[in-house]
Amino acid sequence: MAMEKREVLVIGGNRYFGKRLIARLLAAGDRVTVLNRGSSPPPAGVVHLIADRDDEDALRAALGARTFDVVVDQVCYTPRQAAITRRVLAGRTGRYVMTSTVEVYADQDSVAPVREADVDPMDAAVDLELPWHEPEFLDAHYGEGKRQAEAVFVAEPVFPYVAVRVAHVLGGDDDFTGRLAHYADRIRTGEPITVPPVNRPATYIHVDEIADFLFWTVGQDFTGPVNAASHGTLTTRELCEAVAAAACGGAVVFQEASETDELSPFAFRRCYGMDNSRATQLGFAFGDVRQWLGQAVTETLGTVN
């Protein structure tokens, strides 16, 4: 018996793992609508709606009378955006999946992998009056913005809600962050990589794996926060050694940072490891970071002969 097609709205997320999610939805036969500001065209085969998600009237107008089985929101960064989204989508969707982040755990001081219950969105104080519209403020409070956005949906639930707390994403030839390239450039030139005196490990996830996870989540019925991370943790040294081996050669040189020095990407003063047991128990099979790390570096940076 053929599976019934789902109506899926993807808000933003037209690049990196977002475009991979859209490709998976289309391949499964889902009817996909993509809503963004129109700065980049979505893939062929989707309905494209253009609106600024910060403009509530424009968002309502763009959606019209449409309803959806599932909404995947890739670009909800603030409690203001969450409040608008909750109002506009009330009664329009059977399930809402928000792409959240490991950064919601930034205030946790633990050397053990964090579990979802370590940050309960019900405990987050929501402040809609903070300058969330200012890019510098938002960038400096990225984790707090996501944490408060989660809190908005939990405080007054109007649809079943999931927050996918995503580990640091690696891989793909379209990684726009430049973080692995930063390491490669420094290793090639012999420049030191700045790390804290005690450099904590972190969990990671491959770009294809997080696309797989979000696609899987669309078809599930669990709710609440869920950690999405490959098995295993990496230190900055392991990550840099993989960059050196797969992409550029050369020796890895570290420089110990003071308390006020800016750290290199993926160098952490606290543990950024996430416990993925909830997702595993729900039925998703993660890979191991050490099995795909070399491939991810090669995808992003290429190889040097």
Side-chain angles (χ1 to χ4, degrees), residues 116-157:
E116 291 84 356
D118 291 331
V119 170
D120 185 345
M122 288 295 290
D123 297 333
V126 174
D127 189 345
L128 299 176
E129 302 308 313
L130 291 172
W132 297 113
H133 60 286
E134 296 178 5
E136 286 187 4
F137 179 86
L138 181 57
D139 185 59
H141 297 82
Y142 175 69
E144 180 62 22
K146 287 285 192 181
R147 186 161 50 240
Q148 291 193 27
E150 288 189 27
V152 168
F153 292 113
V154 171
E156 296 180 39

Side-chain angles (χ1 to χ4, degrees), residues 27 45 58 61 95 138 145 148 155 195 235-236 256 268 284:
R95 182 169 175 77
L138 181 57
Q148 291 193 27
V195 296
T235 63
T236 311
E256 189 172 296
F268 305 112
F284 189 84

Side-chain angles (χ1 to χ4, degrees), residues 25-238:
L25 293 167
L26 291 172
D30 294 318
R31 289 186 287 261
V32 181
T33 300
V34 173
L35 185 145
N36 60 25
R37 291 177 297 180
S39 56
S40 58
V46 309
V47 175
H48 187 198
L49 304 178
I50 297 176
D52 183 344
R53 60 119 14 98
D54 292 315
D55 185 331
E56 186 166 346
D57 291 338
L59 188 57
R60 288 186 187 277
L63 290 174
R66 293 176 176 86
T67 60
F68 304 95
D69 296 304
V70 185
V71 174
V72 183
D73 195 341
Q74 299 276 66
V75 289
C76 186
Y77 299 116
T78 75
R80 286 185 192 171
Q81 292 175 334
I84 290 171
T85 303
R86 185 184 61 191
R87 290 193 294 267
V88 172
L89 290 178
R92 290 178 180 265
T93 184
R95 182 169 175 77
Y96 174 89
V97 179
M98 171 188 161
T99 301
S100 190
T101 173
V102 62
E103 297 296 335
V104 301
Y105 299 111
D107 295 335
Q108 300 298 300
D109 186 15
S110 172
V111 296
V114 288
R115 295 174 176 263
E116 291 84 356
D118 291 331
V119 170
D120 185 345
M122 288 295 290
D123 297 333
V126 174
D127 189 345
L128 299 176
E129 302 308 313
L130 291 172
W132 297 113
H133 60 286
E134 296 178 5
E136 286 187 4
F137 179 86
L138 181 57
D139 185 59
H141 297 82
Y142 175 69
E144 180 62 22
K146 287 285 192 181
R147 186 161 50 240
Q148 291 193 27
E150 288 189 27
V152 168
F153 292 113
V154 171
E156 296 180 39
V158 295
F159 35 63
Y161 156 80
V162 179
V164 178
R165 295 172 176 172
V166 183
H168 301 291
V169 182
L170 297 175
D173 60 3
D174 52 343
D175 180 354
F176 59 90
T177 66
R179 292 175 293 195
L180 289 184
H182 168 88
Y183 283 148
D185 289 343
R186 287 192 165 262
I187 293 168
R188 286 190 188 105
T189 59
E191 293 181 81
I193 292 163
T194 306
V195 296
V198 179
N199 191 19
R200 302 292 186 187
T203 43
Y204 295 85
I205 192 164
H206 190 274
V207 62
D208 287 324
E209 188 169 41
I210 186 56
D212 288 340
F213 186 85
L214 289 168
F215 174 73
W216 172 79
T217 300
V218 165
Q220 302 299 306
D221 59 6
F222 66 87
T223 58
V226 62
N227 292 338
S230 295
H231 297 304
T233 61
L234 295 174
T235 63
T236 311
R237 177 174 295 279
E238 290 173 296

Side-chain angles (χ1 to χ4, degrees), residues 186 191-199 236-237 252-264 267-269:
R186 287 192 165 262
E191 293 181 81
I193 292 163
T194 306
V195 296
V198 179
N199 191 19
T236 311
R237 177 174 295 279
V252 180
V253 180
F254 289 109
Q255 172 181 281
E256 189 172 296
S258 71
E259 285 297 319
T260 57
D261 285 341
E262 184 176 352
L263 300 176
S264 294
F268 305 112
R269 300 183 194 277

